[in-house]
């Protein structure tokens, strides 16, 4: 098991956002976490990567208890977080952004970094043609690819991505999700936060549905896609079931759910 999260509580000031989240991600598994705006998905990733204090619960990475560790320790333990809104360093070149991704491995031989860079560029060939370009001048999709490639430069065992599809044309979403599938097939463990639930479930091995700070449903994609309540609340309600029925108890999130590209 690459990632085991039990009873995770976290929040901001007096506001508790996560009320005891349980999540398990097996080695080499691609797990999608879906849910409405404000459900706490980003907060979960922030807590897991040490940017936000864990108030209660435990986090194990590759069997080691890392609860309460700071971002640098967590990165060293193998977790990498690709934040939302493709946060690249805009004035730095693509090449320098990639180099910064390898910061936690700066004491390793540079040949290793070069090999990692070649692998990342093979996954996203568009970046290979733009190594000297300032990252801020890349297209939105290219910036997202760079954000993912930079995350890979840390050689993580678990790569966590926060809504990599936001604001991208369907073709680019397809390119990025295809790359994530390739990484999974290579043995990387991935946690994919997405509003674009259909696209995420199309490549995921399993999915979790979050609602107001809790996991309310979990299963394989066919179970999520085939569940009437998940469909109605998170999938726009216009999906023809592919079969399978869930046995969880998702509550309606209340209010409309913004779906990407639909
Ligand atoms: N820095 C902050 N300070 C106070 N409250 C915050 C902060 N960041 C997020 N929140 C609140 O925490 C709750 C969960 O937010 P979060 O960003 O985790 O949701 P999300 O599931 O990622 O939503 P989205 O799909 O819109 O990205 C929201 O009610 C939000 O207003
Ligand atoms: Mg978010």
């Amino acid at each position: 098991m690459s990632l085991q999260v039990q009873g995770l509580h976290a929040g901001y000031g007096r506001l508790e956002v996560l009320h005891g989240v349980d999540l398990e991600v097996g080695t080499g598994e691609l797990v999608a976490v879906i849910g409405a705006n404000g459900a706490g998905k980003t907060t979960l990733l922030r807590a897991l990567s040490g940017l936000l204090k864990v108030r209660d619960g435990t986090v194990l990475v590759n069997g080691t208890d890392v609860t309460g560790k700071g971002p640098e320790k967590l990165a060293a333990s193998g977790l990498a977080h690709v934040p939302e809104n493709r946060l690249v360093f805009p004035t730095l070149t693509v090449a320098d952004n990639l180099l910064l991704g390898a910061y936690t491995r700066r004491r390793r031989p540079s040949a290793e970094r070069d090999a990692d860079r070649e692998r990342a560029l093979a996954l996203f060939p568009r970046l290979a043609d733009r190594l000297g370009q300032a990252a801020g001048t890349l297209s939105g999709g290219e910036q997202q690819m760079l954000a993912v490639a930079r995350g890979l430069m840390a050689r993580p065992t678990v790569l966590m991505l926060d809504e990599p599809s936001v604001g991208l044309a369907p073709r680019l979403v397809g390119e990025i999700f295809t790359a994530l599938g390739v990484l999974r097939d290579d043995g990387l463990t991935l946690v994919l936060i997405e509003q674009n639930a259909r696209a995420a479930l199309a490549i995921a091995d399993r999915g979790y549905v979050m609602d107001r700070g809790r996991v309310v449903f979990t299963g394989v994609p066919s179970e999520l896609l085939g569940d009437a309540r998940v469909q109605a609340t998170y999938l726009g309600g216009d999906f023809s079931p592919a079969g399978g029925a869930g046995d969880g108890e998702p509550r309606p999130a209340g209010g409309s759910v913004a779906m990407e590209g639909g």
Side-chain angles (χ1 to χ4, degrees), residues 5-19:
V5 180
Q6 272 175 4
L8 186 73
H9 290 251
Y12 307 93
R14 279 195 215 155
L15 175 73
E16 182 177 276
V17 173
L18 303 180
H19 311 294

Side-chain angles (χ1 to χ4, degrees), residues 132-220:
Q133 191 174 329
T137 64
L138 295 173
S139 77
E142 290 161 359
Q143 287 188 32
Q144 186 63 63
M145 291 173 190
L146 177 56
V148 176
R150 194 181 58 191
L152 291 171
M153 290 296 289
R155 261 198 205 189
T157 52
V158 182
L159 184 68
M160 308 187 292
L161 306 109
D162 197 348
E163 304 213 29
S165 78
V166 162
L168 303 187
R171 189 171 52 81
L172 284 174
V173 175
E175 273 185 43
I176 287 173
F177 278 31
T178 299
L180 299 182
V182 168
L183 290 167
R184 182 262 317 275
D185 294 344
D186 283 351
L188 186 65
T189 304
L190 294 113
V191 180
L192 173 61
I193 303 279
E194 266 298 336
Q195 285 275 325
N196 196 339
R198 269 176 220 290
L201 292 173
I203 58 164
D205 298 306
R206 279 189 309 117
Y208 285 80
V209 180
M210 279 184 73
D211 181 25
R212 288 172 284 184
R214 291 190 166 85
V215 170
V216 293
F217 196 95
T218 178
V220 297

Side-chain angles (χ1 to χ4, degrees), residues 12 15 17 35-44 46 84 162-163 195:
Y12 307 93
L15 175 73
V17 173
N37 292 114
K41 305 181 299 296
T42 295
T43 302
L44 174 64
R46 286 199 191 124
E84 58 192 334
D162 197 348
E163 304 213 29
Q195 285 275 325

Side-chain angles (χ1 to χ4, degrees), residues 62-173:
N62 301 316
T64 304
D65 190 340
V66 296
T67 313
K69 301 267 190 253
E72 191 150 4
K73 284 245 164 61
L74 285 166
S77 79
L79 285 182
H81 176 187
V82 179
E84 58 192 334
N85 303 323
R86 20 188 138 113
L87 292 177
V88 296
F89 298 101
T91 59
L92 298 183
T93 62
V94 168
D96 285 344
N97 268 274
L98 289 175
L99 194 58
L100 280 171
Y103 179 77
T104 52
R105 306 183 59 248
R106 62 196 178 279
R107 295 195 181 84
R108 306 292 304 158
S110 61
E112 268 185 27
R113 287 199 301 266
D114 292 346
D116 290 347
R117 194 175 89 156
E118 290 317 305
R119 261 202 299 277
L121 294 175
L123 203 57
F124 299 114
R126 286 161 183 266
L127 297 179
D129 305 330
R130 296 175 170 80
L131 284 172
Q133 191 174 329
T137 64
L138 295 173
S139 77
E142 290 161 359
Q143 287 188 32
Q144 186 63 63
M145 291 173 190
L146 177 56
V148 176
R150 194 181 58 191
L152 291 171
M153 290 296 289
R155 261 198 205 189
T157 52
V158 182
L159 184 68
M160 308 187 292
L161 306 109
D162 197 348
E163 304 213 29
S165 78
V166 162
L168 303 187
R171 189 171 52 81
L172 284 174
V173 175

